[in-house]
Amino acid sequence: MLASPRCGARTRDGGTCRAPAIQGKERCRMHGGARRSGAPRGNRNAQTHGLFTRAAKAEAGQDQLLLDEAERLLQELK
């Protein structure tokens, strides 16, 4: 344990982390050596939910046209 390579991450006081690095990596489990650690691939913050997509806007426009047409028809019948 004492002879194992150490994590190379910098600490707040400017020194290096003294935890042992994960086997085959340069960082410990807390600083990025764990499997599948880190940010997800791609920018997931830019994904839109279904409300403001092009398809949803187009559908809302079609719905509004249908409602306008129905209202016009009701006005003609009166």
Side-chain angles (χ1 to χ4, degrees), residues 19-68:
I22 299 292
Q23 188 174 13
K25 305 222 177 183
E26 295 180 4
R27 299 286 186 247
C28 68
R29 63 186 176 85
M30 294 173 282
H31 290 115
R35 273 181 69 195
R36 294 186 294 268
S37 65
R41 299 260 181 215
N43 184 1
R44 304 215 193 274
N45 292 328
Q47 287 182 342
T48 58
H49 48 76
L51 190 57
F52 297 107
T53 59
R54 280 190 207 118
K57 286 180 179 180
E59 186 177 342
Q62 292 295 326
D63 292 345
Q64 189 61 48
L65 287 173
L66 184 64
L67 288 171
D68 290 343

Side-chain angles (χ1 to χ4, degrees), residues 8-18 31:
R10 290 274 170 214
T11 59
R12 291 180 193 158
D13 66 358
T16 57
C17 176
R18 292 182 292 204
H31 290 115

